[in-house]
Amino acid sequence: MLIETVLLRNAALVATFDDAERELSGGWILIDGPAIAAVGGSGEAEPAAGRVVDASDMVLLPGFVNTHHHFYQTLTRAVPAAQDVELFDWLIALYPVWARMEPPAFRSATVIACAELLLSGCTTASDHTYMWPNGCTIDEQIAVAAEIGLRFHAARGSMSIGRSGGGLPPDSCVEDEGAILADTDRAIGAYHDRAPFAMTRVVVAPCSPFSVSENLMRESAALARARGVHLHTHLAETLDEEHFCLERYGCRPVELAERLAWTGDDVWFAHAVHPSPDEVRRLGATRTGIAHCPTSNMRLGSGIAPIRAFAAAGARVGLGVDGSASNDASHLLDEIRHAMLLQRVLGGAGALSAREALRLATRGGAAVLGRDDIGALARGMAADVAGFRIDTLPLAGGAAHDPLAALVFCRPANADFVMVNGRTIVERGTFVRLDIARLVAEHGRHARRLVSGA
Ligand SMILES: [Zn+2]
């Protein structure tokens, strides 16, 4: 048993994000297999362990949770045609490019997104892929995440209304609704793990209520509830969307979601930027989840989601980096910083503290994904740990006063140490098993070929 234990010791600070919000200077964490066995501070005797990792000059936190992403979009970061346009024009510019994507590029994009997330201290992520061109599959994504070691909630997205049906995407990007439900059901059966510490879960996730039929939205909710899995989609991202909803359905987006049985503690929405006070109350009362994506909302000029009002109303709120084409960075600490800063534009300097922003990315994200085994460093929780060095140039000065807050206020750093489910993924700032230079070069070749159409 001793062989399997790991002791992370002598940390400058262990920020637990447990119920008591303990912050332990000179702290240590004992890990036994996939779980945390004990956590202590400098005043408590350190236990023996099979392997000891020196965490001097590091802040240790629970690994961050990313609640919304589109991994494949790493191939289309900073594409000139989509740099300076709002959501609908952005989609129109990018759909034809994504429609050309083939499995080797899709696989490479998944590797790059997982690696970038992990290196930013993220240990659990949900991905929302809603088009599966040319034989790209959820199976491939799940295999890549498992191989790299990221805890993964694969949201099986879909679109069924193409241009000929009055939608935005080319017809070649959309699927038959029967096939969507059948493949989603298959993925749940093949991969969804209900057990504690599960590394793979499956989510039912049509792209948005406007890219599939009302019937598919209802059938998706029924499927998810019959199989005990969660539901995810985009909602209330832009004012354009709100106008479209009012025109087409005669109601606001949240009312549409309610009609379709899409609220509750098994549902989470990406964005929710433009809710009315009544919509905030309804999502709060049903404990619906929100993936707040501040960078994407700024990048596309979408607006500022009122996340304090959501949380006060009872909604579950976490953070998402969103797709790499509308954020261009899959960096959770960067997202945490932007969440803090953007709320201040809305509500003043006291609107969101560094610790509150970090809590959104840990406990908040865990709640959004429906998990009680991640998001805190405490006995019995999964051994998902991110360690950041504080003896660095960007943190000079900041770390001397408040090392935890400095991680958010100062320039976002990469993690120096990352462990997922007891497995060490990053050590001394480097991946233990991945050759990043080779993977980046390969991804660059795929990205150039995809966008040029060659
Ligand atoms: Zn999105």
Side-chain angles (χ1 to χ4, degrees), residues 28-392:
W28 52 264
I29 305 170
L30 180 68
I31 290 139
D32 185 359
I36 295 173
V39 179
S42 56
E44 295 158 89
E46 287 178 2
R51 184 164 87 94
V52 175
V53 176
D54 177 23
S56 306
D57 292 317
M58 264 197 246
V59 174
L60 301 180
L61 305 106
F64 302 136
V65 180
N66 180 38
T67 62
H68 186 65
H69 206 321
H70 311 286
F71 288 172
Y72 68 90
Q73 294 179 3
T74 56
L75 294 160
T76 51
R77 289 165 158 172
V79 166
Q83 280 180 14
D84 306 318
V85 290
E86 293 184 359
L87 181 65
F88 280 17
D89 290 331
W90 176 92
L91 286 170
I92 290 164
L94 290 172
Y95 276 140
V97 176
W98 296 333
R100 292 196 288 267
M101 183 171 58
E102 298 201 338
F106 185 69
R107 181 185 166 82
S108 175
T110 307
V111 171
I112 289 297
C114 290
E116 193 183 6
L117 286 168
L118 283 159
L119 202 54
S120 78
C122 172
T123 52
T124 300
S126 182
D127 177 75
H128 187 192
T129 292
Y130 47 80
M131 44 193 283
W132 308 93
N134 311 310
C136 298
T137 63
I138 199 167
D139 308 65
E140 183 90 54
Q141 285 190 309
I142 288 170
V144 168
E147 195 181 316
I148 294 180
L150 179 70
R151 199 181 294 281
F152 187 40
H153 285 223
R156 204 296 185 185
S158 55
M159 299 191 293
S160 63
I161 303 177
R163 273 200 202 129
S164 63
L168 291 176
D171 286 352
S172 67
C173 297
V174 306
E175 296 174 273
D176 168 77
E177 296 199 342
I180 291 167
L181 288 167
D183 189 59
T184 308
D185 189 54
R186 176 195 68 82
I188 296 167
Y191 300 112
H192 185 73
D193 181 358
R194 288 172 175 77
F197 305 150
M199 289 297 289
T200 310
R201 288 194 178 156
V202 175
V203 178
V204 184
C207 180
S208 79
F210 315 103
S211 49
V212 301
S213 72
E214 286 186 70
N215 186 52
L216 185 71
M217 289 300 288
R218 286 202 180 87
E219 291 286 327
S220 296
L223 171 65
R225 282 163 188 148
R227 303 297 303 265
V229 306
H230 283 216
L231 287 160
H232 179 52
T233 194
H234 293 94
L235 200 79
E237 180 171 359
T238 64
L239 287 172
D240 281 351
E241 179 190 321
E242 185 180 310
H243 298 148
F244 181 79
C245 192
L246 283 163
E247 212 168 277
R248 178 136 164 196
Y249 298 100
C251 65
R252 298 180 54 83
V254 170
E255 195 182 332
L256 178 65
E258 283 177 327
R259 262 196 229 167
L260 299 168
W262 268 75
T263 52
D265 62 5
D266 58 352
V267 178
W268 89 100
F269 296 127
H271 304 302
V273 173
H274 296 287
S276 67
D278 183 52
E279 286 178 311
V280 170
R281 190 188 57 70
R282 288 159 145 191
L283 293 180
T286 51
R287 290 203 29 80
T288 303
I290 310 294
H292 176 46
C293 307
T295 312
S296 171
N297 296 158
M298 288 190 277
R299 160 78 147 87
L300 298 175
S302 303
I304 306 174
I307 57 168
R308 286 217 82 105
F310 275 128
R316 297 164 293 129
V317 182
L319 296 183
V321 299
D322 202 359
S324 294
S326 67
N327 173 346
D328 310 339
S330 306
H331 199 289
L332 257 288
L333 196 52
D334 191 43
E335 207 61 36
I336 291 164
R337 185 167 192 259
H338 283 160
M340 178 183 80
L341 297 176
L342 188 59
Q343 281 305 299
R344 292 173 179 216
V345 177
L346 189 69
L352 198 71
S353 71
R355 283 172 172 76
E356 287 170 327
L358 286 163
R359 203 166 178 86
L360 288 175
T362 51
R363 296 296 289 270
V368 165
L369 296 187
R371 299 194 69 133
D372 59 8
D373 57 348
I374 59 172
L377 299 175
R379 181 185 163 82
M381 301 292 278
D384 291 5
V385 184
F388 291 87
R389 293 208 75 85
I390 55 171
D391 56 343
T392 61

